[in-house]
Amino acid sequence: MAILKVSRLGHPVLRARAHELDPKSITSEGVQRLIDDMFDTMREYSGVGLAAPQVHEGVRMFVVGLRPGPLGPEIGEDDDMPMMALVNPEVTLVGKPTSMGWEGCLSIPEIRGRVPRAAAVRVKAWDRTGAQVSFTAKGFPARVIQHEYDHLDGILFLDRMESFESLSYLEEYDRYWARHEGDDGGAE
Ligand code: ZN
């Protein structure tokens, strides 16, 4: 297990489309190690999600989650995001991206901004055992999934902002915005 170096805004790997993984390779030692290292890296930097391009690996995979837990057919608005690695995900937005919420990104440290996202998503992917999974997610878990999925196509949360008016350093976010919003503004 290792903590990996996180790519930062400006590195081309964050702007490239990541490549599909052969599902047969998911259970290989190399991919399993990468998944473990991505979870370690995400926890080290207190993130709630981390996509492979953020650790300089151009493959379509991300990890999310805060707590171990079974993955049911639906992650509700108020549910904690279960820890999971999703490979070659297909994410379909349910409804238009009109739900506003704060986001941060481990690749854009110390910055927060308000981003419109769909309130729910449908997800199909492979999990780390190489099994196919499908589920829906709502609310904050749906936001995290949309943020991570964007990373696989070279899209950053800044690109999704309608206006940069809310763009804030973390200290100013805490001082002027967080107390009004009741939002934790976790980094992804
Ligand atoms: Zn991010």
Side-chain angles (χ1 to χ4, degrees), residues 26-91:
I26 295 171
T27 52
S28 70
E29 203 183 317
V31 173
Q32 291 292 311
R33 189 185 314 120
L34 176 59
I35 291 170
D36 286 337
D37 291 349
M38 285 174 64
F39 274 120
D40 280 354
T41 305
M42 179 178 79
R43 277 191 290 263
E44 172 72 12
Y45 297 108
S46 306
V48 292
L50 184 72
Q54 292 184 274
V55 292
H56 306 85
E57 296 284 347
V59 292
R60 300 185 76 76
M61 177 167 82
F62 61 76
V63 298
V64 291
L66 298 169
R67 286 176 184 79
L71 173 62
E74 182 177 307
I75 305 170
E77 207 161 331
D78 300 318
D79 293 349
D80 280 332
M81 172 82 95
M83 278 170 40
M84 55 186 164
L86 297 175
V87 178
N88 299 343
E90 289 171 41
V91 174

Side-chain angles (χ1 to χ4, degrees), residues 14 49-51 54 103-108 147-148 151 155-157 187-188:
L14 290 173
L50 184 72
Q54 292 184 274
E103 294 186 21
C105 182
L106 297 181
S107 295
I108 312 171
H147 178 116
E148 301 311 330
H151 273 301
I155 298 167
L156 301 173
F157 83 84
E188 298 132 41

Side-chain angles (χ1 to χ4, degrees), residues 8-9 88 150 152 158 163 179:
R8 304 205 326 163
L9 183 65
N88 299 343
D150 271 353
L152 307 184
L158 300 175
S163 143
R179 65 186 61 176

Side-chain angles (χ1 to χ4, degrees), residues 107-123:
S107 295
I108 312 171
E110 301 292 309
I111 295 281
R112 296 289 183 270
R114 272 164 63 82
V115 184
R117 298 288 188 185
V121 289
R122 274 192 290 273
V123 181

